Amino acid sequence: MDLEGKRIVVTGCASGMGAATVRAYVQAGAKVVGMDIADEAGQEVCADAAEGGPGEIVYVSVDVSDPVRVEAAFSEADDYLGGLDALAHPAAIHAPSKAGDVTIDEWDRMFAVNVRGTVLTNQAAYHRLKIAGGGAIINFGSISGQRAEPEAAAYSASKGTVHAWTRTAAGAWGADGVRVNAVLPAIRTPMFQASWDRATDEERTEKFWRNIHSIALGQEYGDPDRDLGPVMVFLASDASRFIT
């Protein structure tokens, strides 16, 4: 699980699981480019991670739904990294929506970021990883993509699509030594906290029985740094070379 010398791009680095992934990679000795659309927060996270070392990190702005900006960001990452060994792609959005009421604009925005963003960043990474002789792509799925979500129809559909894409990419790119996996984390993040804070008591009760009660290890969400970070290091390292 050694990442010393590994060259890694992390999207969605400004908060939550992306920020925890950045910290874990820099602490494991990797050379990292953190990407986000929230520039001020992203720069702060990367600067804080750099201070802790022993790895290195810089920040690059990106809108993952925009193909021009994605290619520009990865080209800028090339200049710093000199190649690529792994992509971690936590960048995503979440919003409530009901199947009977979700608007086309809401649907399209969810799919632009969560699905198109996954495809674009994965493709940009794949072409670079192929040149490098192989590497890892780590996408972020969700249990919401595996079950009915009456209050998050568009989000659920987008994550189900990420799962299908990840399986397809893994099958297509394995011959080039590129492994593609998705994590489906039960991790406490600012996104989860915002949803909890705006919920009514009745909605919190529903969230507990639907999501939290089923977590066998203590019936609470995991910590991004303690519980997700080591998993992300493993999946970016050569220790996971036969997992896709």
Side-chain angles (χ1 to χ4, degrees):
M1 291 177 60
D2 179 22
L3 295 185
E4 186 174 354
K6 292 289 188 184
R7 303 159 298 179
I8 306 178
V9 167
V10 181
T11 69
C13 74
S15 66
M17 292 183 284
T21 299
V22 158
R23 290 189 289 269
Y25 286 167
V26 174
Q27 288 168 9
K31 190 173 184 179
V32 183
V33 172
M35 296 184 180
D36 208 295
I37 198 170
D39 293 335
E40 186 174 346
Q43 290 167 348
E44 184 176 347
V45 166
C46 292
D48 289 345
E51 287 185 5
E56 305 172 26
I57 185 167
V58 298
Y59 175 79
V60 172
S61 180
V62 73
D63 175 353
V64 296
S65 70
D66 184 331
V68 174
R69 291 185 65 180
V70 168
E71 186 54 40
F74 273 78
S75 294
E76 190 173 342
D78 287 339
D79 293 339
Y80 175 70
L81 297 174
L84 190 67
D85 298 300
L87 163 69
H89 179 58
I93 59 173
H94 182 281
S97 62
K98 297 183 179 181
D101 302 320
V102 60
T103 68
I104 292 300
D105 286 344
E106 291 169 335
W107 185 272
D108 286 349
R109 180 170 179 265
M110 191 68 64
F111 269 68
V113 177
N114 294 359
V115 178
R116 189 196 309 159
T118 299
V119 173
L120 292 174
T121 57
N122 283 197
Q123 288 177 333
Y126 162 68
H127 293 298
R128 291 161 171 83
L129 294 172
K130 182 179 178 180
I131 292 171
I137 295 173
I138 309 157
N139 292 326
F140 273 61
S142 172
I143 192 175
S144 295
Q146 294 186 314
R147 67 182 184 188
E149 287 284 2
E151 303 300 323
Y155 179 76
S156 174
S158 74
K159 287 301 185 179
T161 307
V162 169
H163 299 167
W165 163 262
T166 299
R167 288 189 290 267
T168 296
W173 299 341
D176 297 311
V178 178
R179 58 193 190 275
V180 190
N181 292 290
V183 294
L184 284 65
I187 298 294
R188 184 173 295 275
T189 66
M191 185 185 294
F192 166 81
Q193 194 62 49
S195 174
W196 184 265
D197 290 344
R198 66 172 176 260
T200 64
D201 288 344
E202 182 179 352
E203 289 170 338
R204 289 179 182 179
T205 298
E206 191 273 338
K207 286 177 184 291
F208 173 80
W209 288 106
R210 183 172 180 79
N211 297 320
I212 301 173
H213 182 263
S214 62
I215 299 174
L217 293 172
Q219 294 185 334
E220 62 180 22
Y221 280 81
D223 176 80
D225 291 284
R226 183 187 63 222
D227 301 316
L228 177 69
V231 176
M232 297 301 292
V233 170
F234 168 67
L235 288 174
S237 76
D238 295 337
S240 62
R241 63 178 300 277
F242 200 60
I243 299 175
T244 194

